[in-house]
PDB file of all heavy atoms in Angstrom:
ATOM      1  N   ASN A  35     -12.633 -10.585   9.568  1.00  0.00           N
ATOM      2  CA  ASN A  35     -12.867 -11.510   8.454  1.00  0.00           C
ATOM      3  C   ASN A  35     -11.772 -11.386   7.399  1.00  0.00           C
ATOM      4  O   ASN A  35     -11.366 -12.383   6.789  1.00  0.00           O
ATOM      5  CB  ASN A  35     -14.243 -11.244   7.831  1.00  0.00           C
ATOM      6  CG  ASN A  35     -15.380 -11.648   8.747  1.00  0.00           C
ATOM      7  OD1 ASN A  35     -15.195 -12.485   9.643  1.00  0.00           O
ATOM      8  ND2 ASN A  35     -16.554 -11.083   8.537  1.00  0.00           N
ATOM      9  N   SER A  36     -11.290 -10.146   7.159  1.00  0.00           N
ATOM     10  CA  SER A  36     -10.210  -9.960   6.190  1.00  0.00           C
ATOM     11  C   SER A  36      -8.932 -10.643   6.665  1.00  0.00           C
ATOM     12  O   SER A  36      -8.199 -11.237   5.870  1.00  0.00           O
ATOM     13  CB  SER A  36      -9.957  -8.467   5.964  1.00  0.00           C
ATOM     14  OG  SER A  36     -11.075  -7.840   5.375  1.00  0.00           O
ATOM     15  N   ILE A  37      -8.644 -10.556   7.953  1.00  0.00           N
ATOM     16  CA  ILE A  37      -7.446 -11.210   8.499  1.00  0.00           C
ATOM     17  C   ILE A  37      -7.584 -12.726   8.405  1.00  0.00           C
ATOM     18  O   ILE A  37      -6.637 -13.431   8.033  1.00  0.00           O
ATOM     19  CB  ILE A  37      -7.221 -10.768   9.955  1.00  0.00           C
ATOM     20  CG1 ILE A  37      -6.953  -9.257  10.016  1.00  0.00           C
ATOM     21  CG2 ILE A  37      -6.059 -11.544  10.575  1.00  0.00           C
ATOM     22  CD1 ILE A  37      -6.907  -8.701  11.423  1.00  0.00           C
ATOM     23  N   THR A  61      -7.124 -18.934  12.339  1.00  0.00           N
ATOM     24  CA  THR A  61      -6.738 -19.192  10.958  1.00  0.00           C
ATOM     25  C   THR A  61      -5.278 -19.631  10.921  1.00  0.00           C
ATOM     26  O   THR A  61      -4.493 -19.300  11.825  1.00  0.00           O
ATOM     27  CB  THR A  61      -6.939 -17.934  10.081  1.00  0.00           C
ATOM     28  OG1 THR A  61      -6.714 -18.274   8.715  1.00  0.00           O
ATOM     29  CG2 THR A  61      -5.982 -16.812  10.470  1.00  0.00           C
ATOM     30  N   ARG A  62      -4.932 -20.369   9.877  1.00  0.00           N
ATOM     31  CA  ARG A  62      -3.527 -20.774   9.667  1.00  0.00           C
ATOM     32  C   ARG A  62      -3.066 -20.131   8.367  1.00  0.00           C
ATOM     33  O   ARG A  62      -3.659 -20.323   7.305  1.00  0.00           O
ATOM     34  CB  ARG A  62      -3.402 -22.301   9.590  1.00  0.00           C
ATOM     35  CG  ARG A  62      -1.955 -22.786   9.461  1.00  0.00           C
ATOM     36  CD  ARG A  62      -1.888 -24.306   9.343  1.00  0.00           C
ATOM     37  NE  ARG A  62      -2.343 -24.964  10.556  1.00  0.00           N
ATOM     38  CZ  ARG A  62      -1.567 -25.230  11.599  1.00  0.00           C
ATOM     39  NH1 ARG A  62      -0.281 -24.899  11.557  1.00  0.00           N
ATOM     40  NH2 ARG A  62      -2.057 -25.825  12.663  1.00  0.00           N
ATOM     41  N   LEU A  85     -20.863  -2.792  31.392  1.00  0.00           N
ATOM     42  CA  LEU A  85     -21.209  -4.082  30.793  1.00  0.00           C
ATOM     43  C   LEU A  85     -20.252  -4.404  29.656  1.00  0.00           C
ATOM     44  O   LEU A  85     -19.792  -5.530  29.497  1.00  0.00           O
ATOM     45  CB  LEU A  85     -22.651  -4.051  30.292  1.00  0.00           C
ATOM     46  CG  LEU A  85     -23.723  -3.841  31.370  1.00  0.00           C
ATOM     47  CD1 LEU A  85     -25.098  -3.766  30.725  1.00  0.00           C
ATOM     48  CD2 LEU A  85     -23.674  -4.961  32.387  1.00  0.00           C
ATOM     49  N   VAL A 101      -2.458 -11.891  24.905  1.00  0.00           N
ATOM     50  CA  VAL A 101      -2.685 -11.129  23.678  1.00  0.00           C
ATOM     51  C   VAL A 101      -1.361 -10.536  23.204  1.00  0.00           C
ATOM     52  O   VAL A 101      -0.668  -9.857  23.950  1.00  0.00           O
ATOM     53  CB  VAL A 101      -3.713  -9.996  23.934  1.00  0.00           C
ATOM     54  CG1 VAL A 101      -3.842  -9.105  22.706  1.00  0.00           C
ATOM     55  CG2 VAL A 101      -5.052 -10.581  24.327  1.00  0.00           C
ATOM     56  N   ARG A 111     -14.038   7.006   7.146  1.00  0.00           N
ATOM     57  CA  ARG A 111     -15.276   7.667   6.710  1.00  0.00           C
ATOM     58  C   ARG A 111     -15.668   8.795   7.647  1.00  0.00           C
ATOM     59  O   ARG A 111     -16.399   9.695   7.282  1.00  0.00           O
ATOM     60  CB  ARG A 111     -16.416   6.649   6.631  1.00  0.00           C
ATOM     61  CG  ARG A 111     -16.197   5.553   5.600  1.00  0.00           C
ATOM     62  CD  ARG A 111     -17.382   4.596   5.592  1.00  0.00           C
ATOM     63  NE  ARG A 111     -17.228   3.546   4.603  1.00  0.00           N
ATOM     64  CZ  ARG A 111     -16.624   2.386   4.815  1.00  0.00           C
ATOM     65  NH1 ARG A 111     -16.094   2.161   6.006  1.00  0.00           N
ATOM     66  NH2 ARG A 111     -16.528   1.479   3.872  1.00  0.00           N
ATOM     67  N   LEU A 147     -11.228   5.919  -0.467  1.00  0.00           N
ATOM     68  CA  LEU A 147     -10.170   6.843  -0.862  1.00  0.00           C
ATOM     69  C   LEU A 147      -9.979   6.846  -2.369  1.00  0.00           C
ATOM     70  O   LEU A 147     -10.322   5.889  -3.068  1.00  0.00           O
ATOM     71  CB  LEU A 147      -8.852   6.466  -0.180  1.00  0.00           C
ATOM     72  CG  LEU A 147      -8.822   6.593   1.346  1.00  0.00           C
ATOM     73  CD1 LEU A 147      -7.416   6.380   1.848  1.00  0.00           C
ATOM     74  CD2 LEU A 147      -9.323   7.952   1.771  1.00  0.00           C
ATOM     75  N   GLU A 184     -11.785  -7.217  -3.716  1.00  0.00           N
ATOM     76  CA  GLU A 184     -11.785  -8.606  -4.162  1.00  0.00           C
ATOM     77  C   GLU A 184     -10.460  -8.971  -4.809  1.00  0.00           C
ATOM     78  O   GLU A 184     -10.290 -10.084  -5.310  1.00  0.00           O
ATOM     79  CB  GLU A 184     -12.933  -8.841  -5.166  1.00  0.00           C
ATOM     80  CG  GLU A 184     -14.331  -8.615  -4.593  1.00  0.00           C
ATOM     81  CD  GLU A 184     -14.653  -9.592  -3.487  1.00  0.00           C
ATOM     82  OE1 GLU A 184     -14.074 -10.707  -3.490  1.00  0.00           O
ATOM     83  OE2 GLU A 184     -15.480  -9.256  -2.616  1.00  0.00           O
ATOM     84  N   PRO A 211       3.432 -11.609  25.979  1.00  0.00           N
ATOM     85  CA  PRO A 211       2.078 -11.144  25.653  1.00  0.00           C
ATOM     86  C   PRO A 211       1.433 -10.427  26.835  1.00  0.00           C
ATOM     87  O   PRO A 211       1.883 -10.525  27.978  1.00  0.00           O
ATOM     88  CB  PRO A 211       1.327 -12.443  25.324  1.00  0.00           C
ATOM     89  CG  PRO A 211       2.016 -13.476  26.169  1.00  0.00           C
ATOM     90  CD  PRO A 211       3.475 -13.080  26.201  1.00  0.00           C
ATOM     91  N   VAL A 230     -18.659   0.695  45.987  1.00  0.00           N
ATOM     92  CA  VAL A 230     -19.548   1.835  45.727  1.00  0.00           C
ATOM     93  C   VAL A 230     -20.988   1.368  45.617  1.00  0.00           C
ATOM     94  O   VAL A 230     -21.915   2.003  46.115  1.00  0.00           O
ATOM     95  CB  VAL A 230     -19.105   2.562  44.443  1.00  0.00           C
ATOM     96  CG1 VAL A 230     -20.136   3.627  44.063  1.00  0.00           C
ATOM     97  CG2 VAL A 230     -17.739   3.186  44.644  1.00  0.00           C
ATOM     98  N   LYS A 299     -79.569  13.167  57.854  1.00  0.00           N
ATOM     99  CA  LYS A 299     -79.238  12.574  56.545  1.00  0.00           C
ATOM    100  C   LYS A 299     -78.206  13.413  55.804  1.00  0.00           C
ATOM    101  O   LYS A 299     -77.279  12.886  55.190  1.00  0.00           O
ATOM    102  CB  LYS A 299     -80.511  12.435  55.713  1.00  0.00           C
ATOM    103  CG  LYS A 299     -81.413  11.298  56.146  1.00  0.00           C
ATOM    104  CD  LYS A 299     -82.600  11.162  55.194  1.00  0.00           C
ATOM    105  CE  LYS A 299     -83.464   9.964  55.579  1.00  0.00           C
ATOM    106  NZ  LYS A 299     -84.625   9.796  54.684  1.00  0.00           N
ATOM    107  N   PHE A 330     -49.404   3.895  45.388  1.00  0.00           N
ATOM    108  CA  PHE A 330     -50.565   4.668  45.802  1.00  0.00           C
ATOM    109  C   PHE A 330     -51.179   5.390  44.610  1.00  0.00           C
ATOM    110  O   PHE A 330     -50.521   5.656  43.609  1.00  0.00           O
ATOM    111  CB  PHE A 330     -50.166   5.713  46.858  1.00  0.00           C
ATOM    112  CG  PHE A 330     -49.816   5.122  48.187  1.00  0.00           C
ATOM    113  CD1 PHE A 330     -48.491   4.927  48.544  1.00  0.00           C
ATOM    114  CD2 PHE A 330     -50.810   4.738  49.090  1.00  0.00           C
ATOM    115  CE1 PHE A 330     -48.168   4.372  49.761  1.00  0.00           C
ATOM    116  CE2 PHE A 330     -50.478   4.199  50.314  1.00  0.00           C
ATOM    117  CZ  PHE A 330     -49.151   4.004  50.638  1.00  0.00           C
ATOM    118  N   SER A 341     -50.134  -1.223  26.987  1.00  0.00           N
ATOM    119  CA  SER A 341     -49.173  -2.312  26.858  1.00  0.00           C
ATOM    120  C   SER A 341     -49.757  -3.363  25.924  1.00  0.00           C
ATOM    121  O   SER A 341     -50.879  -3.237  25.443  1.00  0.00           O
ATOM    122  CB  SER A 341     -48.870  -2.927  28.230  1.00  0.00           C
ATOM    123  OG  SER A 341     -50.008  -3.606  28.724  1.00  0.00           O
ATOM    124  N   PHE A 347     -50.903   2.223  33.545  1.00  0.00           N
ATOM    125  CA  PHE A 347     -50.727   3.530  34.168  1.00  0.00           C
ATOM    126  C   PHE A 347     -49.231   3.803  34.349  1.00  0.00           C
ATOM    127  O   PHE A 347     -48.437   2.890  34.607  1.00  0.00           O
ATOM    128  CB  PHE A 347     -51.394   3.580  35.548  1.00  0.00           C
ATOM    129  CG  PHE A 347     -52.903   3.599  35.503  1.00  0.00           C
ATOM    130  CD1 PHE A 347     -53.632   3.525  36.678  1.00  0.00           C
ATOM    131  CD2 PHE A 347     -53.592   3.712  34.295  1.00  0.00           C
ATOM    132  CE1 PHE A 347     -55.020   3.553  36.649  1.00  0.00           C
ATOM    133  CE2 PHE A 347     -54.969   3.727  34.255  1.00  0.00           C
ATOM    134  CZ  PHE A 347     -55.696   3.634  35.445  1.00  0.00           C
ATOM    135  N   VAL A 355     -41.005  -4.069  44.709  1.00  0.00           N
ATOM    136  CA  VAL A 355     -40.744  -4.687  43.412  1.00  0.00           C
ATOM    137  C   VAL A 355     -39.242  -4.886  43.250  1.00  0.00           C
ATOM    138  O   VAL A 355     -38.436  -4.245  43.922  1.00  0.00           O
ATOM    139  CB  VAL A 355     -41.282  -3.842  42.237  1.00  0.00           C
ATOM    140  CG1 VAL A 355     -42.787  -3.678  42.327  1.00  0.00           C
ATOM    141  CG2 VAL A 355     -40.575  -2.504  42.163  1.00  0.00           C
ATOM    142  N   GLU A 362     -32.750  -2.767  25.469  1.00  0.00           N
ATOM    143  CA  GLU A 362     -33.234  -1.742  24.563  1.00  0.00           C
ATOM    144  C   GLU A 362     -34.444  -2.254  23.797  1.00  0.00           C
ATOM    145  O   GLU A 362     -34.427  -3.362  23.260  1.00  0.00           O
ATOM    146  CB  GLU A 362     -32.135  -1.327  23.581  1.00  0.00           C
ATOM    147  CG  GLU A 362     -31.018  -0.521  24.222  1.00  0.00           C
ATOM    148  CD  GLU A 362     -30.039   0.020  23.188  1.00  0.00           C
ATOM    149  OE1 GLU A 362     -30.176  -0.311  21.991  1.00  0.00           O
ATOM    150  OE2 GLU A 362     -29.156   0.777  23.582  1.00  0.00           O
ATOM    151  N   ASP A 379     -42.708 -10.571  46.264  1.00  0.00           N
ATOM    152  CA  ASP A 379     -43.171 -11.786  46.938  1.00  0.00           C
ATOM    153  C   ASP A 379     -43.379 -12.952  45.977  1.00  0.00           C
ATOM    154  O   ASP A 379     -42.825 -14.033  46.161  1.00  0.00           O
ATOM    155  CB  ASP A 379     -44.469 -11.500  47.689  1.00  0.00           C
ATOM    156  CG  ASP A 379     -44.215 -10.779  48.996  1.00  0.00           C
ATOM    157  OD1 ASP A 379     -43.048 -10.677  49.401  1.00  0.00           O
ATOM    158  OD2 ASP A 379     -45.189 -10.328  49.621  1.00  0.00           O
ATOM    159  N   VAL A 411     -54.472  -4.627  41.379  1.00  0.00           N
ATOM    160  CA  VAL A 411     -55.842  -4.442  41.852  1.00  0.00           C
ATOM    161  C   VAL A 411     -55.873  -3.258  42.805  1.00  0.00           C
ATOM    162  O   VAL A 411     -54.885  -2.942  43.482  1.00  0.00           O
ATOM    163  CB  VAL A 411     -56.374  -5.698  42.562  1.00  0.00           C
ATOM    164  CG1 VAL A 411     -56.515  -6.851  41.599  1.00  0.00           C
ATOM    165  CG2 VAL A 411     -55.465  -6.081  43.740  1.00  0.00           C
ATOM    166  N   ASP A 413     -56.896  -1.556  46.213  1.00  0.00           N
ATOM    167  CA  ASP A 413     -57.114  -2.078  47.556  1.00  0.00           C
ATOM    168  C   ASP A 413     -58.394  -1.526  48.180  1.00  0.00           C
ATOM    169  O   ASP A 413     -58.974  -2.136  49.071  1.00  0.00           O
ATOM    170  CB  ASP A 413     -55.930  -1.725  48.453  1.00  0.00           C
ATOM    171  CG  ASP A 413     -54.681  -2.459  48.003  1.00  0.00           C
ATOM    172  OD1 ASP A 413     -54.814  -3.597  47.531  1.00  0.00           O
ATOM    173  OD2 ASP A 413     -53.589  -1.898  48.158  1.00  0.00           O
TER     174      ASP A 413
END
Side-chain angles (χ1 to χ4, degrees):
N35 290 338
S36 296
I37 297 172
T61 187
R62 184 182 294 273
L85 297 177
V101 174
R111 297 180 179 88
L147 295 188
E184 298 296 334
V230 172
K299 285 185 177 180
F330 289 99
S341 68
F347 288 174
V355 299
E362 289 187 355
D379 282 350
V411 294
D413 293 326

